[in-house]
Short mmCIF file of all heavy atoms in Angstrom, two decimals:
data_model
loop_
_atom_site.label_atom_id
_atom_site.label_comp_id
_atom_site.label_asym_id
_atom_site.label_seq_id
_atom_site.Cartn_x
_atom_site.Cartn_y
_atom_site.Cartn_z
N ALA Z 10 -47.82 -26.61 91.95
CA ALA Z 10 -49.06 -26.95 91.36
C ALA Z 10 -49.65 -28.18 92.02
O ALA Z 10 -50.86 -28.33 92.20
CB ALA Z 10 -48.83 -27.19 89.83
N ARG Z 11 -48.78 -29.14 92.34
CA ARG Z 11 -49.22 -30.33 93.04
C ARG Z 11 -49.78 -30.03 94.42
O ARG Z 11 -50.86 -30.55 94.75
CB ARG Z 11 -48.08 -31.33 93.20
CG ARG Z 11 -48.39 -32.64 93.81
CD ARG Z 11 -47.24 -33.65 93.73
NE ARG Z 11 -47.57 -34.80 94.42
CZ ARG Z 11 -47.20 -35.14 95.66
NH1 ARG Z 11 -46.49 -34.33 96.32
NH2 ARG Z 11 -47.53 -36.35 96.19
N ASN Z 12 -49.13 -29.15 95.11
CA ASN Z 12 -49.59 -28.71 96.41
C ASN Z 12 -50.98 -27.98 96.31
O ASN Z 12 -51.89 -28.18 97.21
CB ASN Z 12 -48.62 -27.85 97.11
CG ASN Z 12 -47.39 -28.61 97.60
OD1 ASN Z 12 -47.45 -29.85 97.74
ND2 ASN Z 12 -46.31 -27.92 97.84
N ASP Z 13 -51.11 -27.19 95.24
CA ASP Z 13 -52.33 -26.46 95.07
C ASP Z 13 -53.52 -27.43 94.78
O ASP Z 13 -54.63 -27.32 95.29
CB ASP Z 13 -52.24 -25.49 93.91
CG ASP Z 13 -51.36 -24.29 94.28
OD1 ASP Z 13 -51.15 -24.05 95.45
OD2 ASP Z 13 -51.00 -23.60 93.31
N ARG Z 14 -53.25 -28.48 93.96
CA ARG Z 14 -54.28 -29.47 93.64
C ARG Z 14 -54.73 -30.23 94.98
O ARG Z 14 -55.89 -30.45 95.18
CB ARG Z 14 -53.80 -30.49 92.63
CG ARG Z 14 -53.94 -29.97 91.24
CD ARG Z 14 -53.73 -31.12 90.24
NE ARG Z 14 -52.37 -31.76 90.36
CZ ARG Z 14 -51.33 -31.46 89.64
NH1 ARG Z 14 -51.38 -30.48 88.67
NH2 ARG Z 14 -50.17 -32.01 89.85
N ILE Z 15 -53.68 -30.54 95.75
CA ILE Z 15 -53.99 -31.25 97.02
C ILE Z 15 -54.89 -30.37 97.94
O ILE Z 15 -55.84 -30.83 98.55
CB ILE Z 15 -52.71 -31.77 97.71
CG1 ILE Z 15 -52.06 -32.87 96.85
CG2 ILE Z 15 -52.98 -32.22 99.18
CD1 ILE Z 15 -50.69 -33.25 97.36
N ASP Z 16 -54.45 -29.07 98.05
CA ASP Z 16 -55.23 -28.14 98.85
C ASP Z 16 -56.63 -27.98 98.37
O ASP Z 16 -57.62 -27.93 99.09
CB ASP Z 16 -54.53 -26.80 98.87
CG ASP Z 16 -53.26 -26.79 99.66
OD1 ASP Z 16 -53.10 -27.73 100.51
OD2 ASP Z 16 -52.47 -25.82 99.53
N ASN Z 17 -56.84 -27.91 97.00
CA ASN Z 17 -58.17 -27.75 96.44
C ASN Z 17 -59.00 -29.01 96.75
O ASN Z 17 -60.19 -28.91 97.05
CB ASN Z 17 -58.08 -27.56 94.95
CG ASN Z 17 -57.57 -26.17 94.57
OD1 ASN Z 17 -57.60 -25.30 95.44
ND2 ASN Z 17 -57.10 -25.98 93.35
N GLN Z 18 -58.42 -30.20 96.68
CA GLN Z 18 -59.16 -31.38 97.02
C GLN Z 18 -59.58 -31.42 98.46
O GLN Z 18 -60.65 -31.83 98.84
CB GLN Z 18 -58.27 -32.63 96.71
CG GLN Z 18 -58.12 -32.96 95.25
CD GLN Z 18 -57.16 -34.12 95.00
OE1 GLN Z 18 -56.47 -34.51 95.93
NE2 GLN Z 18 -57.11 -34.60 93.76
N ARG Z 19 -58.68 -30.99 99.34
CA ARG Z 19 -59.03 -30.93 100.80
C ARG Z 19 -60.22 -29.93 101.07
O ARG Z 19 -61.08 -30.25 101.86
CB ARG Z 19 -57.81 -30.54 101.61
CG ARG Z 19 -56.78 -31.60 101.73
CD ARG Z 19 -55.59 -31.21 102.50
NE ARG Z 19 -54.56 -32.18 102.56
CZ ARG Z 19 -53.35 -32.05 102.87
NH1 ARG Z 19 -52.89 -30.81 103.16
NH2 ARG Z 19 -52.48 -33.03 102.87
N VAL Z 20 -60.13 -28.85 100.39
CA VAL Z 20 -61.23 -27.85 100.50
C VAL Z 20 -62.54 -28.41 100.02
O VAL Z 20 -63.58 -28.22 100.61
CB VAL Z 20 -60.85 -26.50 99.88
CG1 VAL Z 20 -62.07 -25.57 99.81
CG2 VAL Z 20 -59.70 -25.84 100.55
N PHE Z 21 -62.47 -29.10 98.89
CA PHE Z 21 -63.71 -29.66 98.30
C PHE Z 21 -64.26 -30.73 99.25
O PHE Z 21 -65.49 -30.70 99.53
CB PHE Z 21 -63.39 -30.28 96.97
CG PHE Z 21 -64.55 -30.94 96.33
CD1 PHE Z 21 -65.57 -30.22 95.72
CD2 PHE Z 21 -64.67 -32.33 96.31
CE1 PHE Z 21 -66.68 -30.77 95.14
CE2 PHE Z 21 -65.77 -32.95 95.72
CZ PHE Z 21 -66.75 -32.17 95.16
N VAL Z 22 -63.47 -31.60 99.78
CA VAL Z 22 -63.95 -32.64 100.68
C VAL Z 22 -64.51 -32.04 102.00
O VAL Z 22 -65.53 -32.45 102.46
CB VAL Z 22 -62.81 -33.66 101.01
CG1 VAL Z 22 -63.19 -34.56 102.11
CG2 VAL Z 22 -62.45 -34.43 99.73
N PHE Z 23 -63.82 -31.02 102.49
CA PHE Z 23 -64.27 -30.35 103.68
C PHE Z 23 -65.65 -29.66 103.43
O PHE Z 23 -66.52 -29.77 104.26
CB PHE Z 23 -63.24 -29.27 104.12
CG PHE Z 23 -63.70 -28.49 105.35
CD1 PHE Z 23 -63.58 -29.01 106.63
CD2 PHE Z 23 -64.17 -27.18 105.19
CE1 PHE Z 23 -64.02 -28.29 107.72
CE2 PHE Z 23 -64.56 -26.46 106.28
CZ PHE Z 23 -64.47 -26.99 107.58
N SER Z 24 -65.81 -29.04 102.28
CA SER Z 24 -67.08 -28.38 101.98
C SER Z 24 -68.22 -29.40 101.86
O SER Z 24 -69.33 -29.17 102.32
CB SER Z 24 -66.96 -27.62 100.68
OG SER Z 24 -65.99 -26.59 100.72
N ILE Z 25 -67.99 -30.53 101.23
CA ILE Z 25 -69.00 -31.54 101.14
C ILE Z 25 -69.34 -32.10 102.48
O ILE Z 25 -70.54 -32.31 102.81
CB ILE Z 25 -68.50 -32.67 100.22
CG1 ILE Z 25 -68.30 -32.17 98.73
CG2 ILE Z 25 -69.42 -33.86 100.26
CD1 ILE Z 25 -69.59 -31.69 98.11
N ALA Z 26 -68.34 -32.32 103.33
CA ALA Z 26 -68.62 -32.82 104.71
C ALA Z 26 -69.48 -31.81 105.46
O ALA Z 26 -70.39 -32.21 106.18
CB ALA Z 26 -67.29 -33.08 105.43
N VAL Z 27 -69.16 -30.53 105.44
CA VAL Z 27 -69.95 -29.51 106.11
C VAL Z 27 -71.38 -29.49 105.57
O VAL Z 27 -72.32 -29.40 106.32
CB VAL Z 27 -69.25 -28.15 105.99
CG1 VAL Z 27 -70.15 -27.02 106.45
CG2 VAL Z 27 -67.96 -28.10 106.73
N ALA Z 28 -71.54 -29.61 104.24
CA ALA Z 28 -72.87 -29.60 103.67
C ALA Z 28 -73.72 -30.79 104.13
O ALA Z 28 -74.89 -30.59 104.49
CB ALA Z 28 -72.82 -29.58 102.13
N ILE Z 29 -73.09 -31.98 104.26
CA ILE Z 29 -73.80 -33.13 104.72
C ILE Z 29 -74.17 -32.97 106.21
O ILE Z 29 -75.28 -33.32 106.60
CB ILE Z 29 -72.92 -34.40 104.51
CG1 ILE Z 29 -72.86 -34.72 103.01
CG2 ILE Z 29 -73.46 -35.61 105.27
CD1 ILE Z 29 -71.87 -35.76 102.67
N ILE Z 30 -73.29 -32.42 106.99
CA ILE Z 30 -73.57 -32.23 108.44
C ILE Z 30 -74.70 -31.24 108.59
O ILE Z 30 -75.54 -31.45 109.46
CB ILE Z 30 -72.32 -31.80 109.15
CG1 ILE Z 30 -71.31 -33.00 109.25
CG2 ILE Z 30 -72.60 -31.31 110.56
CD1 ILE Z 30 -69.97 -32.67 109.75
N VAL Z 31 -74.72 -30.14 107.88
CA VAL Z 31 -75.76 -29.12 107.98
C VAL Z 31 -77.10 -29.74 107.53
O VAL Z 31 -78.08 -29.51 108.23
CB VAL Z 31 -75.42 -27.94 107.09
CG1 VAL Z 31 -76.61 -27.00 106.94
CG2 VAL Z 31 -74.24 -27.15 107.69
N MET Z 32 -77.13 -30.51 106.48
CA MET Z 32 -78.40 -31.14 106.00
C MET Z 32 -78.88 -32.13 107.06
O MET Z 32 -80.07 -32.16 107.35
CB MET Z 32 -78.21 -31.87 104.71
CG MET Z 32 -78.02 -30.88 103.55
SD MET Z 32 -79.43 -29.86 103.21
CE MET Z 32 -80.65 -31.09 102.72
N ALA Z 33 -78.02 -32.94 107.66
CA ALA Z 33 -78.44 -33.91 108.66
C ALA Z 33 -78.94 -33.16 109.88
O ALA Z 33 -79.99 -33.52 110.49
CB ALA Z 33 -77.25 -34.82 109.00
N GLY Z 34 -78.33 -32.08 110.28
CA GLY Z 34 -78.76 -31.29 111.39
C GLY Z 34 -80.15 -30.64 111.16
O GLY Z 34 -81.00 -30.69 112.07
N ALA Z 35 -80.37 -30.18 109.96
CA ALA Z 35 -81.65 -29.62 109.61
C ALA Z 35 -82.74 -30.69 109.65
O ALA Z 35 -83.85 -30.43 110.21
CB ALA Z 35 -81.64 -28.95 108.28
N LEU Z 36 -82.47 -31.83 109.14
CA LEU Z 36 -83.45 -32.92 109.21
C LEU Z 36 -83.77 -33.34 110.63
O LEU Z 36 -84.93 -33.55 110.98
CB LEU Z 36 -82.96 -34.13 108.36
CG LEU Z 36 -82.93 -33.89 106.82
CD1 LEU Z 36 -82.30 -35.13 106.19
CD2 LEU Z 36 -84.37 -33.70 106.38
N LEU Z 37 -82.70 -33.48 111.42
CA LEU Z 37 -82.93 -33.84 112.80
C LEU Z 37 -83.72 -32.77 113.57
O LEU Z 37 -84.60 -33.05 114.36
CB LEU Z 37 -81.62 -34.09 113.53
CG LEU Z 37 -80.89 -35.38 113.14
CD1 LEU Z 37 -79.54 -35.45 113.74
CD2 LEU Z 37 -81.72 -36.56 113.49
N TYR Z 38 -83.46 -31.48 113.30
CA TYR Z 38 -84.19 -30.37 113.89
C TYR Z 38 -85.70 -30.45 113.54
O TYR Z 38 -86.55 -30.36 114.40
CB TYR Z 38 -83.63 -29.08 113.47
CG TYR Z 38 -84.42 -27.85 113.88
CD1 TYR Z 38 -84.39 -27.45 115.22
CD2 TYR Z 38 -85.27 -27.25 113.03
CE1 TYR Z 38 -85.18 -26.37 115.61
CE2 TYR Z 38 -86.05 -26.14 113.37
CZ TYR Z 38 -86.00 -25.74 114.72
OH TYR Z 38 -86.79 -24.72 115.10
N PHE Z 39 -85.99 -30.65 112.27
CA PHE Z 39 -87.40 -30.66 111.82
C PHE Z 39 -88.07 -31.95 112.43
O PHE Z 39 -89.25 -31.88 112.76
CB PHE Z 39 -87.48 -30.66 110.30
CG PHE Z 39 -87.26 -29.28 109.76
CD1 PHE Z 39 -86.28 -29.11 108.80
CD2 PHE Z 39 -87.90 -28.17 110.17
CE1 PHE Z 39 -85.96 -27.89 108.28
CE2 PHE Z 39 -87.67 -26.92 109.64
CZ PHE Z 39 -86.67 -26.72 108.71
#
Side-chain angles (χ1 to χ4, degrees):
R11 181 172 178 262
N12 289 341
D13 288 345
R14 277 193 301 265
I15 291 172
D16 288 344
N17 288 342
Q18 288 175 347
R19 287 180 182 162
V20 169
F21 179 75
V22 169
F23 178 77
S24 300
I25 295 297
V27 167
I29 290 171
I30 291 170
V31 167
M32 288 297 293
L36 289 174
L37 288 173
Y38 171 76
F39 287 123

